[in-house]
Amino acid sequence: MAVEKEKKTCGQLMGEWKEFVWNPRTHQFMGRTGSSWALILLFYLVFYGFLTALFTLTMWVMLQTVDPNIPKYQDRLAIPGMMIRPKTEALDITYNVTNTESWENYVKMLNGFLEAYNDSRQVANNEFCPPGRYFVQPDNGVMNYPKRACQFNRTMLGSCSGLVDTTYGYREGRPCILVKMNRVINFFAGANKTMNISCAAKKEEDALKLGDIEMFPANGNIDLMYFPYYGKRVHVNYTQPVVAVKFLNLTANFDHNVECKINAANIATNDDRDKFAGRVSFKIRVDRE
Ligand SMILES: *[C@@H]1O[C@H](CO)[C@@H](O)[C@H](O)[C@H]1NC(C)=O
Ligand SMILES: *[C@@H]1O[C@H](CO)[C@@H](O)[C@H](O)[C@H]1NC(C)=O
Ligand SMILES: *[C@@H]1O[C@H](CO)[C@@H](O)[C@H](O)[C@H]1NC(C)=O
Ligand SMILES: *[C@@H]1O[C@H](CO)[C@@H](O)[C@H](O)[C@H]1NC(C)=O
Ligand SMILES: *[C@@H]1O[C@H](CO)[C@@H](O)[C@H](O)[C@H]1NC(C)=O
Ligand SMILES: *[C@@H]1O[C@H](CO)[C@@H](O)[C@H](O)[C@H]1NC(C)=O
Ligand SMILES: *[C@@H]1O[C@H](CO)[C@@H](O)[C@H](O)[C@H]1NC(C)=O
């Protein structure tokens, strides 16, 4: 009996299937009435609508906290880092005067870096600013209003400009190194007081071996006019100030460890955790007969 009951003909199965898809008696489609389907549809509509709204709201709130002109995470301990040019991986400038190949790459790097500082380009792109004070450019209500930059002429680097002496002193063993401070957006470096960069042998007893150095601009000064920096999106023609250091009388065939630091009222240079904070150390060695 039981076995017989489970046996259904093909026609019966088709009938059941048809009834499941559409049951004319109960007006059910796929086992549910129209109102039941409508309720399910409504539920999912509300459910996904809610999810979309939640996502949108979260996104919106997050974007409110993002200023497109300022990186959200600036590696900034209120202390700008310093860097040199030419830059090598280990900040190690070593070459042999008689071996041109050993220094021509340094010259190339300096040429590349200083192209943007060509006087003609500075005059075409940037403004002549009054020295000794910040070049503050408020938005005046216009968001992301383009900012002008102040001229920093290549000729201000004197014999380290690569214009008169095209090898920056490398050929004669009196090389130039450029020292710069990394850009920090909206930072008023110097706190309204003059600042400068100074370089010295890392160990005091090596000072004589390092010999005299010459700085360009004079005294390693960095003018306030180059601050603040407003970020690359609005401050498109900005060229950061640099200081050139010329080693006049390096003792040859000796590893000189040099430290350059910035002397500015609001920049600490003694952060033990960050050896690039307000200072930079590098090695320079000139080999010759
Ligand atoms: C910058 O000036 C140097 C020397 O005058 C020149 O060789 C170089 O082509 C100039 N570069 C640009 C980009 O103007
Ligand atoms: C940047 O330099 C270009 C080329 O000289 C100039 O057309 C543009 O106006 C400058 N932009 C600003 C904001 O100074
Ligand atoms: C840069 O050089 C140009 C042309 O030599 C000059 O007119 C301009 O005043 C100089 N700018 C600065 C800041 O010295
Ligand atoms: C710098 O000094 C000027 C004039 O004394 C003053 O108006 C300005 O607010 C000062 N700026 C800062 C950042 O201290
Ligand atoms: C460099 O700046 C420091 C502090 O701002 C100052 O004491 C020193 O005299 C300056 N050095 C030169 C050579 O101008
Ligand atoms: C260069 O340094 C040596 C010692 O390292 C010294 O005897 C010599 O007088 C110095 N020359 C100049 C021009 O300062
Ligand atoms: C510098 O290079 C020359 C020529 O290649 C070589 O004879 C000399 O030994 C080198 N000097 C040093 C100190 O390496």
Side-chain angles (χ1 to χ4, degrees):
M1 282 286 278
V3 177
E4 225 164 77
K5 205 178 181 181
E6 277 167 24
K7 268 193 183 163
K8 284 172 181 166
T9 64
C10 205
Q12 269 175 323
L13 275 174
M14 279 298 279
E16 268 176 30
W17 173 243
K18 265 190 194 153
E19 203 175 284
F20 171 69
V21 174
W22 176 245
N23 189 332
R25 277 177 293 116
T26 55
H27 286 175
Q28 282 180 338
F29 173 69
M30 303 281 259
R32 284 179 192 282
T33 60
S35 55
S36 172
W37 277 113
L39 273 175
I40 284 181
L41 214 65
L42 185 70
F43 170 77
Y44 278 105
L45 222 62
V46 170
F47 181 66
Y48 283 112
F50 174 74
L51 279 188
T52 308
L54 195 70
F55 176 76
T56 312
L57 182 78
T58 314
M59 216 52 185
W60 181 80
V61 166
M62 239 183 61
L63 287 175
Q64 291 309 295
T65 67
V66 175
D67 183 333
N69 294 302
I70 302 176
K72 184 135 177 83
Y73 296 104
Q74 280 194 79
D75 186 10
R76 171 176 169 188
L77 312 155
I79 315 175
M82 309 263 292
M83 199 25 80
I84 59 163
R85 290 291 183 276
K87 181 189 174 194
T88 61
E89 204 153 314
L91 301 189
D92 175 353
I93 315 292
T94 298
Y95 73 95
N96 181 332
V97 172
T98 43
N99 185 0
T100 310
E101 278 144 46
S102 68
W103 50 262
E104 65 184 3
N105 208 31
Y106 298 138
V107 170
K108 268 191 204 140
M109 286 193 240
L110 291 172
N111 282 337
F113 180 78
L114 287 178
E115 262 197 1
Y117 293 83
N118 274 9
D119 291 18
S120 54
R121 278 187 56 176
Q122 288 293 318
V123 171
N125 294 5
N126 297 338
E127 235 169 81
F128 185 93
C129 303
R133 55 184 158 97
Y134 294 119
F135 189 35
V136 182
Q137 302 170 77
D139 271 340
N140 286 333
V142 185
M143 268 266 278
N144 303 329
Y145 194 81
K147 303 289 193 276
R148 299 281 295 160
C150 293
Q151 291 172 5
F152 190 103
N153 280 343
R154 192 164 173 174
T155 44
M156 287 159 65
L157 299 178
S159 58
C160 286
S161 65
L163 297 174
V164 182
D165 174 1
T166 53
T167 71
Y168 303 88
Y170 282 73
R171 187 198 298 277
E172 45 168 11
R174 301 163 87 195
C176 292
I177 303 280
L178 303 180
V179 183
K180 68 187 187 77
M181 194 163 78
N182 292 337
R183 301 169 186 205
V184 177
I185 293 169
N186 290 335
F187 180 54
F188 289 80
N192 244 343
K193 293 192 226 15
T194 57
M195 62 192 138
N196 57 57
I197 283 176
S198 56
C199 299
K202 220 164 175 190
K203 290 198 197 117
E204 235 169 273
E205 60 265 35
D206 291 338
L208 277 180
K209 286 201 191 87
L210 187 66
D212 285 338
I213 59 179
E214 193 177 5
M215 309 278 271
F216 304 95
N219 300 322
N221 278 334
I222 294 185
D223 201 277
L224 299 184
M225 67 164 89
Y226 303 106
F227 305 95
Y229 168 60
Y230 288 102
K232 70 174 169 205
R233 227 176 81 154
V234 290
H235 222 161
V236 286
N237 294 332
Y238 183 83
T239 39
Q240 64 208 112
V242 290
V243 164
V245 186
K246 190 175 178 68
F247 296 92
L248 298 174
N249 192 15
L250 278 178
T251 302
N253 311 319
F254 182 83
D255 283 346
H256 298 278
N257 291 302
V258 183
E259 182 175 84
C260 292
K261 59 178 183 179
I262 183 146
N263 307 298
N266 57 355
I267 305 175
T269 57
N270 52 3
D271 191 318
D272 291 331
R273 291 162 303 164
D274 186 351
K275 61 181 177 158
F276 291 105
R279 63 193 158 147
V280 61
S281 297
F282 57 92
K283 191 179 103 181
I284 187 160
R285 177 189 176 103
V286 176
D287 286 334
R288 67 196 322 165
E289 303 301 309

